[in-house]
Amino acid sequence: MESAPAAVIERELLTAEMSSFRVEAAQGTERSPSIIFRIRRRLPDFSRSVNLKYVKLGIRHAGSLKSYLPIMSVPVLASAAYSLVPLDVIHYSMDMLTCVAWLGTAMVLLTVYYLKRPRPVYLVEFACYKPEDEHKISKKAFLEMTKSTGCFNDETLAFQTRITSRSALGDETYLPTGVRARPPRLNMLQARLEAEEVMFGCLDALFASTGINPRRDVGILVVNCSLFNPTPSLASMIVNYYKMREDIKSFNLGGMGCSAGLIAIDLAKDMLQAHPNSYAVVLSTENITLNWYFGNDKSMLLSNCIFRMGGAAALLSNRRADADRAKYRLLHTVRTHKGGTDEGFNCVYQREDEGGKVGVSLAKGLMAVAEDALTTNMTTLGPLVLPLTEQLKFLRALVMRRVFRARGVRPYIPNFRRAFEHFCVHAGGRAVLEQVQRSLSLEDEDMEASKCALHRFGNTSSSSLWYELAYAEAKGRVKRGDRVWQIGFGSGFKCNSAVWRALRDVPAVSPLPAAAAPGPENRSCNPWVDCVDTYPPNTYV
């Protein structure tokens, strides 16, 4: 592959598109397939691809019959009151039968609403796993480790060096023992040890912080890990470790990519609607040990450069008694799946390279599929969260274009900064965050949590959204009434959103006393407790 000019290389970002493979004959012999990476500088313009059907979908999400029952009861009650008013002072008459009929109708509507209203879903607490210092690895040490394996040629070593230097990861990210060992120990035992360390680490902190007895109190368990799915499952490992109850409703989600954390939240929400007075635990992680790529296909090497060790656990409740101590209430979840098209299904694909080594490849149409999924999700979410003024501006532009066929009128892209105080965008890579910021017209402070999480912990897959929310909490920025937008995307191709409202002020974290730091019983739920004062860094490079 020909080297690009230095000025172009300096502008290279992590978002890459892979051109078609080609096999050429040179002097009568076939040459190995060559790969050309083209860097997409910007995401496609959202304003040119807003689809009316997704606006309708959002409106359908926003209102069902049962949500309008209280509104419908207002005119009914007004009619009942009106029937009691004397229409003629001299010839006063009271239609008692009409009054009773209206009152009865109103009572029926209110009773149906009370019985059919969704149960509130509270986020009591969440905990992010912070690995021990022995797992830390700097960018320099990562490149030395990569070279020492002897698995990569000079071209792919240079590629990984270039990507790592521009990845926006810091020098204190974490890798599991099996990957860091020399030679690497990539086996089932090491993968299980990594899973146990991450899962039980954040769950121990969560249960200690909330006072929940996992053996008795947890009725629903949802675990998501995309690439590591042993038998028995990760969910069964947790049930066995904590000796959970026999009637627990457990789920293990695999192969669903970096957006699976919000899928797990959505599943837990539905389960809490069906099971009153229950606690649900959601655990999101990714396992690196058995998914480290040792080949020379550049489309599969990005994950080595940016994915790091991490996980998070959240305690959800539908008990109204938990409203006083819960941090957030779940308002909306919106899921978008583009797997119905071949482009969406194949754009992130686990396969074997020419040497038989397994990795996850990125297709050249990845960014186009991601843009389409993100646009669809945002357009569906809009009617649920945007203020009326923003929706009216959008409607006006839509009518001018669709009804009056006015030329030069572009779709109005709502200002989502008027709907949310905090943005948690999946820290999939530096380029992704920068392009989302540009496309949504977000300020630097809106993206600070996402960029800092990428710098400090790397891409921790589905758990990255929780590291970002933990950052906002650690800084003391979450106030009562604040709205949080978590948005993740991953293979499939999927884009998912969750919207939370803060129920109370969350105080800034304070470091643990030095004497209390050792020991799992003193482990903080917030992974930023000992480093938040050093963030944001002067530079993310």
Side-chain angles (χ1 to χ4, degrees), residues 318-373:
N318 60 10
R319 298 155 53 101
R320 296 188 183 275
D322 287 320
D324 293 335
R325 68 165 180 156
K327 286 184 174 180
Y328 305 91
R329 179 172 177 175
L330 181 61
L331 300 182
H332 309 289
T333 55
V334 174
R335 294 169 55 179
T336 300
H337 201 311
K338 292 294 183 177
T341 65
D342 291 340
E343 293 80 6
F345 180 76
N346 294 315
C347 65
V348 181
Y349 203 88
Q350 188 179 28
R351 61 177 177 85
E352 294 178 337
D353 65 10
E354 292 184 344
K357 295 181 174 63
V358 177
V360 177
S361 67
L362 307 178
K364 66 176 183 178
L366 171 60
M367 287 307 298
V369 174
E371 181 270 337
D372 184 37

Side-chain angles (χ1 to χ4, degrees), residues 262 424-426 461-470 486-488:
L262 297 184
C424 298
V425 181
H426 167 55
S461 189
S462 58
S463 63
S464 66
L465 300 174
W466 299 108
Y467 286 91
E468 295 164 19
L469 184 54
Q486 291 181 318
I487 182 165

Side-chain angles (χ1 to χ4, degrees), residues 96-320:
M96 183 60 69
L97 182 60
T98 302
C99 176
V100 171
W102 283 119
L103 287 175
T105 304
M107 292 301 296
V108 169
L109 291 174
L110 292 174
T111 300
V112 171
Y113 169 74
Y114 181 82
L115 295 176
K116 294 293 184 179
R117 62 176 177 166
R119 294 184 175 91
V121 175
Y122 302 110
L123 174 57
V124 180
E125 180 62 281
F126 67 95
C128 298
Y129 175 66
K130 185 173 180 291
E132 301 296 335
D133 288 346
E134 64 187 32
H135 293 293
K136 280 185 180 180
I137 187 165
S138 65
K139 289 186 287 188
K140 180 180 178 181
F142 166 77
L143 293 173
E144 292 175 351
M145 177 194 75
T146 300
K147 185 177 181 179
S148 68
T149 62
C151 298
F152 307 102
N153 59 37
D154 292 341
E155 186 177 352
T156 53
L157 284 173
F159 175 79
Q160 292 182 80
T161 300
R162 188 166 62 249
I163 293 298
T164 301
S165 65
R166 296 166 175 82
S167 64
L169 271 67
D171 288 325
E172 294 188 324
T173 58
Y174 303 92
L175 284 177
T177 302
V179 174
R180 299 179 70 250
R182 288 292 155 274
R185 298 196 299 270
L186 309 183
N187 51 49
M188 179 63 75
L189 174 61
Q190 288 297 322
R192 284 186 178 273
L193 290 175
E194 178 194 350
E196 291 173 358
E197 186 174 352
V198 173
M199 295 192 306
F200 303 152
C202 54
L203 285 172
D204 284 345
L206 180 68
F207 295 142
S209 175
T210 58
I212 293 297
N213 184 341
R215 189 169 188 171
R216 180 192 64 230
D217 298 331
V218 178
I220 300 166
L221 173 65
V222 184
V223 179
N224 71 271
C225 182
S226 187
L227 295 176
F228 181 55
N229 295 283
T231 300
S233 67
L234 298 178
S236 294
M237 290 169 61
I238 295 174
V239 171
N240 176 262
Y241 182 82
Y242 291 104
K243 309 303 177 187
M244 291 181 169
R245 41 198 264 197
E246 295 179 353
D247 65 341
I248 189 170
K249 310 296 186 298
S250 65
F251 302 87
N252 202 98
L253 307 180
M256 304 195 78
C258 297
S259 67
L262 297 184
I263 297 175
I265 291 292
D266 186 59
L267 174 58
K269 178 196 73 173
D270 291 343
M271 292 299 297
L272 288 171
Q273 296 304 313
H275 300 277
N277 199 37
S278 297
Y279 285 113
V281 169
V282 174
L283 188 136
S284 300
T285 186
E286 189 53 84
N287 194 283
I288 296 176
T289 300
L290 287 182
N291 296 287
W292 201 254
Y293 177 64
F294 285 102
N296 287 291
D297 188 327
K298 292 182 181 179
S299 70
M300 299 182 180
L301 283 171
L302 290 176
S303 59
N304 286 13
C305 298
I306 61 175
F307 275 86
R308 293 296 184 265
M309 187 180 184
L315 178 66
L316 304 179
S317 171
N318 60 10
R319 298 155 53 101
R320 296 188 183 275

